[in-house]
């Protein structure tokens, strides 16, 4: 758990700043289960990686799997995606097109609008 939070903190607050013309993460990367996947084209954006020691630039995929409660909790895909969006906003993920739910006071208002 602690290594995961350290990685996410570094990714959100330091690494994304290294990406040229970074405009935020797309909401279209959520799947139907509410999980989020993003890809990075090269590992050199991480400050721990020594540029001179890299023989070949490699990309990788980061998947953030969100657990949505017990098996009794059955919701449709939009509820899972909205829960993920709200969690990401709370964790200060730089989402690029998420402003449309800011005008609502609660998750119930968002759910009614959808």
């Amino acid at each position: 758990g602690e290594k995961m939070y350290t990685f996410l903190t570094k990714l959100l607050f330091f690494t994304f700043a290294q990406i040229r013309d970074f405009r935020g993460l797309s909401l279209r990367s959520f799947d139907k289960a509410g999980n989020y996947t993003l890809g990075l084209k090269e590992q050199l954006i991480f400050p721990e990686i020594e540029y001179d020691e890299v023989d070949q630039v490699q990309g990788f995929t980061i998947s953030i799997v969100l657990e949505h409660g017990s098996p009794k909790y059955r919701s449709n895909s939009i509820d899972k995606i909205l829960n993920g969006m709200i969690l990401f906003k709370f964790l200060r993920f730089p989402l690029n097109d998420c402003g449309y739910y800011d005008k609502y006071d609660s998750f119930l208002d968002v759910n009614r609008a959808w």
Side-chain angles (χ1 to χ4, degrees):
E2 186 176 332
K3 288 182 180 182
M4 176 199 63
Y5 286 115
T6 302
F7 175 76
L8 275 178
T9 301
K10 190 180 304 179
L11 182 70
L12 294 174
F13 298 111
F14 302 108
T15 306
F16 286 146
Q18 300 293 323
I19 300 174
R20 187 182 323 210
D21 297 329
F22 179 70
R23 294 187 182 101
L25 301 171
S26 175
L27 291 177
R28 294 181 182 93
S29 294
F30 280 101
D31 63 11
K32 290 182 181 181
N35 303 317
Y36 193 83
T37 302
L38 66 109
L40 297 173
K41 293 182 180 180
E42 60 181 43
Q43 76 272 29
L44 296 173
I45 60 173
F46 288 96
E48 297 85 6
I49 306 231
E50 295 291 332
Y51 184 79
D52 296 334
E53 296 177 9
V54 175
D55 295 331
Q56 181 179 2
V57 176
Q58 297 179 353
F60 57 97
T61 302
I62 300 169
S63 294
I64 301 171
V65 179
L66 303 173
E67 180 64 37
H68 293 285
S70 66
K72 293 179 183 178
Y73 179 74
R74 294 186 183 171
S75 65
N76 54 17
S77 296
I78 194 67
D79 288 339
K80 292 177 182 178
I81 293 170
L82 285 173
N83 284 334
M85 288 169 45
I86 292 168
L87 175 66
F88 278 20
K89 183 174 181 188
F90 177 76
L91 294 174
R92 300 179 188 260
F93 273 66
L95 300 174
N96 66 354
D97 45 2
C98 65
Y100 59 86
Y101 68 84
D102 280 345
K103 64 184 175 184
Y104 300 109
D105 295 327
S106 69
F107 179 71
L108 292 174
D109 292 340
V110 174
N111 209 10
R112 274 186 242 132
W114 280 75

